Amino acid sequence: MGLTPQEAECLAPVQVLWPLVICPLCSPGGAQGRPTRAGRGGEGTGPGCSSLRLRPLPAPSSGLLQPPPARLCSGCPLLSLSPRTASPVSPEGSRALARRLLDLECPTTWGLASVFSSRTSRKSALRAENTMAEGEGYRNPTEVQMSQLVLPCHTNQRGELSVGQLLKWIDATACLSAERHAGCPCVTASMDDIYFEHTISVGQVVNIKAKVNRAFNSSMEVGIHVASEDLCSENQWNVCKALATFVAHRELSKVKLKQTMPQTEEEKTEHSVAAERRRMRLVYADTIKDLLANCVIQDDLESRDCSHMVPAEKTRVESVELVLPPHANHQGNTFGGQIMAWMENVATIAASRLCRAHPTLKAIEMFHFRGPSQVGDRLVFKAIVNNAFKHSMEVGVCVEAYRQEAETHRRHINSAFMTFVVLDADDQPQMLPWIRPQPGDGERRYREASARKKIRLDRKYIVSCKQAEMPLSVPWDPSNQVCLSYNNVSSLKMLVAKDNWVLSSEINQVRLYTLEEDKFLSFHMEMLVHVDAAQAFLLLSDLRRRPEWDKHYRSAELVQQVDEDDAIYHVISPPLGSDPKPQDFVILASRRKPCDNGDPYVIALRSVTLPTHRETPEYRRRETLCSGFCFWREGDQLTKVSYYNQATTGLLNYVTTNVTGLSSEFYTTFKACEQFLLDNRNDLAPSLQTL
């Protein structure tokens, strides 16, 4: 009978090398003594031990443990081996020795382990690198998994898992992932839009995975995926995805988080796009304000039949909760998942008062935690239906905290907006009654709900859709400005993060890569230029100067300067191929500075449609789905310039001609770009100070 894995692990160092031997009873200080070392071919002595000779041991044969050429005192209860009488130890003897070493926690294994630690570490690191290179067996070090069996105590009146309970599990899993990366306590700062695709019944299993997508200074984005599993049929369903922001917190020192190291293509994509999602979160409140200020929210309050309208005040709910120790997290603050569960509870009551039925929660707007609360605080939850659309309604919830009943000032600690529907027997949404808002704040909330619905639709169908499922040109208007800019940059970053680019050619250190996918052929040009990255970024971000080096641009007119980072251009290009008509494009150019060290400068380009620049018979309207530049700083006055383009149908023939080497226009154009950067690198000194 062979050794068990634990016994084999204990004896592994003994079988290979004996650089030092420790007798737990005979070494100085007994079992707590230090190892006795021998010099070059010499002897080391300890009380009761004689001539410890250190010498490599020949490799064992036949699976038998070979004794070391060393002598310990004959009275040692663990090892009594003599070079004169040394003989292979039988498997039974090996097992007995291993068991005694394990039972006594023999320091022999501790000392040997310390000697072998560096060698083992190197081998482990090499194995890890090989594993990651092969793409097999890799697991993100921040990944945390939770599986929960749905019991009757977790369900609502329909026998389905309560969303509040699910939010508790989601928040706990995400927090553990964040703390695994940060190495210190973390608190929930926000949780992005959650769209529930499937309900979970009692008896099913909830599987939650969370991992850190990217770390910033003291905050990090955690991606969460929730699936359900039927143990009897083995069927699985996607339930929802979520993105949570956590902030690392220490009492006595400021936290500076270490950066994540993405390995897989998915991780690289999430890491790159996380910076753009963070940008969207930071400007979310301003987006709502701009939308309400610049757009007329259409409503027909005056034309509706008031006899069939429900006053919004009838849906108002107010509930108070006392924070007790079971509601606190391991830091003593109120558990964020518990607060979200209480918010879902009062929101459901408010929605039920409008529809007089059991509503189903379909989406949650971003939870925003404005401040903490502790055990002993009183939390006041207020909910009201802000607006009722044809088949859905928005419920607003805010949370205030106070410490003592005599306090007049309450702290606003959280807010969220939830979308409910009422499903019939066939799971189809039913018609809802109209809501009649109260004058003043009620009307303001009513119109803001319409603006939020617009933004939700933009995010869902512009940001969340796959590139292959999107139209090439999306109508531009101020209401979808942020979403289109986000999609423009994130699409380019996702293209850059692909790991299956193939080098097609290299001419004078200008490299051409291609990427073949099911529906797209993409190409990527790359070169090193002796120009600062910020200079190259500024020179190429103004498309009006592109005709100076790119013969494919006849002219570029600035149509609208949206903000500091986004602009819309009308581009005229010469005829392509046998088509005699010139081409024109309406292009949104979005530029981004690096978020962290190692991030590139980005200029992303995509087509949009404008009512002021419709297609005309004079030009052949073309579109670009995803293209742009990335600039990586490689050193002082040295930049890696990369251009990416996802070829559309109209340009496919031209692209394949260059990719296959039948034309050198790509190469000559890119070299002209290099010369343009070199000739103009000293023109932007004042502008560089702002980057």
Side-chain angles (χ1 to χ4, degrees), residues 262-432:
Q263 300 294 335
T264 66
E265 179 180 318
E266 178 187 358
E267 290 177 0
K268 292 175 182 177
T269 299
E270 294 294 341
H271 179 271
S272 182
V273 176
E276 197 63 20
R277 287 194 289 255
R278 180 171 182 254
R279 175 189 175 94
M280 282 191 70
R281 295 184 192 106
L282 295 177
V283 302
Y284 178 76
D286 293 334
T287 302
I288 293 287
K289 293 178 182 178
D290 293 342
L291 183 58
L292 292 172
N294 300 323
C295 298
V296 177
I297 304 298
Q298 301 292 332
D299 61 63
D300 52 355
L301 288 175
E302 297 179 356
S303 62
R304 291 182 180 177
D305 184 0
C306 294
S307 62
H308 293 86
M309 297 178 71
V310 177
E313 284 301 310
K314 278 194 172 183
T315 68
R316 185 180 294 275
V317 179
E318 182 171 320
S319 177
V320 64
E321 297 283 354
L322 175 62
V323 181
L324 301 174
H327 303 141
N329 58 21
H330 52 300
Q331 304 167 47
N333 296 325
T334 312
F335 177 42
Q338 180 63 69
I339 294 178
M340 291 188 282
W342 282 331
M343 295 173 73
E344 185 267 340
N345 178 63
V346 296
T348 302
I349 296 173
S352 300
R353 289 181 176 176
L354 174 69
C355 62
R356 297 300 173 185
H358 296 302
T360 299
L361 182 59
K362 296 298 291 183
I364 299 177
E365 193 83 9
M366 180 189 299
F367 283 107
H368 184 201
F369 288 84
R370 302 172 183 268
S373 62
Q374 292 80 31
V375 173
D377 280 349
R378 282 75 168 167
L379 303 186
V380 179
F381 296 83
K382 298 178 180 180
I384 191 172
V385 176
N386 291 331
N387 200 338
F389 306 101
K390 188 174 183 179
H391 295 106
S392 65
M393 67 186 109
E394 181 195 274
V395 180
V397 187
C398 76
V399 186
E400 297 174 342
Y402 65 95
R403 191 69 178 176
Q404 300 295 335
E405 292 295 340
E407 289 184 14
T408 58
H409 175 70
R410 294 180 177 180
R411 311 186 311 272
H412 182 192
I413 65 169
N414 203 342
S415 59
F417 301 94
M418 306 186 188
T419 302
F420 289 85
V421 298
V422 178
L423 303 177
D424 59 18
D426 298 324
D427 287 337
Q428 297 301 313
Q430 298 182 6
M431 291 275 293
L432 296 175

Side-chain angles (χ1 to χ4, degrees), residues 113-186:
S114 66
V115 173
F116 284 88
S117 60
S118 60
R119 178 177 299 179
T120 305
S121 299
R122 289 194 296 269
K123 289 183 178 181
S124 299
L126 181 60
R127 282 196 299 269
E129 291 177 1
N130 293 336
T131 300
M132 286 188 292
E134 296 171 1
E136 298 178 359
Y138 169 75
R139 179 173 175 178
N140 189 299
T142 67
E143 182 178 305
V144 172
Q145 299 184 18
M146 176 186 287
S147 294
Q148 295 282 355
L149 180 65
V150 179
L151 302 175
C153 61
H154 301 142
T155 60
N156 56 22
Q157 70 283 349
R158 294 189 300 271
E160 299 169 351
L161 175 63
S162 165
V163 174
Q165 180 62 59
L166 178 59
L167 290 172
K168 290 183 186 179
W169 291 338
I170 288 176
D171 189 56
T173 310
C175 182
L176 292 174
S177 175
E179 292 186 347
R180 175 174 289 184
H181 177 74
C184 65
C186 296

